[in-house]
Amino acid sequence: MEEALRSLRQQRVRMLLINLVYFLALLGLGVWIFLRDGAGAAGFLLAAVCAAAYLVLVRPVRQRYLTSLRREILCRGVCRQLTDVRYEPRGGVPADRVQAAFPFGSAEAFMSREHLTGRMGALEAELADVTFPFVEGKRNAMFSGVFLQLTWPGSAFAPLSVDAGSREGLDLPRAQLELIEQLDAFVPGSLYLRAGGETLTLLLRGRFLGFRINPLMTVHERTLEDNPLPELDQAIRLTQLMRLGRRT
């Protein structure tokens, strides 16, 4: 933890210094152009250099810091119950994996990023942000949120289906119903769930692994340990109860 914090703080200071230098350079350029009452071709050239410096130097440094910070938050906060955690910011799940559980989606314009995998004993977990068009209430809509799949080899989960958070007709133990309610609580009507065989698969609309991070915030232990996606813990608990067949 201390080593991770030290590295993140160093990256943050470097990012802030580079942004400060860039801002001062822009300010100096603006003052120079103002005092010269326009700078002609030289002013346009310097503006182009500043734009290139932002794209080549400033933005990449900021992005690397945010990626490192997100990686630590996901591995230490979201996946605190898991081991062998692997995070691929530009990875994702294929469209056919999502459609296998939720055939109402379309593979056209499908996108996936922020791929995350890990395990808890025999239980395997896989998460990713996904975006794809689908039909909702006879109208075309766009799904954007988290794909979460838990696989427990050797299990035989009873078939279970939840669409848009609706729990109508579910005949489940109270503890399992409460967990399903919690999974749908952050964005009501966001939960799509399928269970059967060895897998429990969820779509959480409006919830993201690529959550927004304020690059100016101070980094401390609580920053890394806070869990911005508690639905993973809830889904793991639901899987455990379904596998054990508890009736409470």
Side-chain angles (χ1 to χ4, degrees):
M1 173 71 78
E2 288 301 323
E3 184 177 349
L5 285 172
R6 187 182 307 110
S7 175
L8 288 171
R9 286 165 180 165
Q10 290 174 349
Q11 291 183 57
R12 179 176 178 270
V13 170
R14 186 183 307 118
M15 177 200 65
L16 292 176
L17 287 175
I18 289 175
N19 275 270
L20 177 60
V21 171
Y22 180 74
F23 172 77
L24 292 175
L26 283 181
L27 181 62
L29 175 61
V31 171
W32 181 72
I33 292 175
F34 175 77
L35 293 177
R36 289 177 60 91
D37 193 23
F44 286 111
L45 178 60
L46 289 174
V49 170
C50 287
Y54 175 78
L55 294 175
V56 174
L57 179 61
V58 179
R59 188 170 69 174
V61 169
R62 177 179 180 273
Q63 191 57 47
R64 282 195 296 270
Y65 167 67
L66 292 178
T67 299
S68 297
L69 179 55
R70 187 186 312 281
R71 182 188 306 275
E72 294 297 330
I73 293 174
L74 290 174
C75 293
R76 297 177 184 274
V78 174
C79 296
R80 56 192 169 193
Q81 293 194 65
L82 305 181
T83 59
D84 302 326
V85 177
R86 183 177 180 183
Y87 171 54
E88 298 175 289
R90 299 190 179 185
V93 294
D96 57 1
R97 288 278 307 286
V98 179
Q99 288 183 306
F102 304 99
F104 54 74
S106 171
E108 297 181 7
F110 178 90
M111 293 187 298
S112 182
R113 291 176 62 89
E114 310 293 344
H115 191 224
L116 193 62
T117 59
R119 60 190 312 113
M120 189 180 74
L123 178 67
E124 301 172 358
E126 182 174 19
L127 303 90
D129 286 349
V130 294
T131 300
F132 58 87
F134 76 116
V135 177
E136 182 179 40
K138 298 183 179 181
R139 293 189 300 180
N140 293 329
M142 186 65 72
F143 180 93
S144 188
V146 169
F147 169 86
L148 193 170
Q149 188 168 75
L150 299 174
T151 304
W152 202 323
S155 298
F157 298 124
L160 176 62
S161 179
V162 175
D163 285 317
S166 175
R167 296 176 289 280
E168 184 178 354
L170 291 182
D171 182 19
L172 294 171
R174 177 175 54 83
Q176 295 181 31
L177 282 173
E178 289 177 353
L179 284 168
I180 291 175
E181 291 174 4
Q182 293 170 22
L183 285 164
D184 189 53
F186 289 94
V187 181
S190 66
L191 174 64
Y192 295 80
L193 184 152
R194 298 290 186 273
E198 298 180 340
T199 63
L200 179 75
T201 308
L202 301 88
L203 288 174
L204 299 167
R205 195 175 187 182
R207 301 288 285 165
F208 302 97
L209 297 173
F211 46 83
R212 187 178 298 276
I213 296 178
N214 179 4
L216 301 180
M217 70 177 180
T218 304
V219 179
H220 44 71
E221 287 189 16
R222 186 171 178 180
T223 306
L224 306 185
E225 293 175 347
D226 279 350
N227 187 355
L229 194 76
E231 290 94 333
L232 175 58
D233 291 343
Q234 295 162 355
I236 289 174
R237 181 57 179 159
L238 178 61
T239 304
Q240 292 171 329
L241 290 180
M242 291 178 66
R243 186 171 187 269
L244 293 174
R246 293 184 179 174
R247 305 298 301 178
T248 58

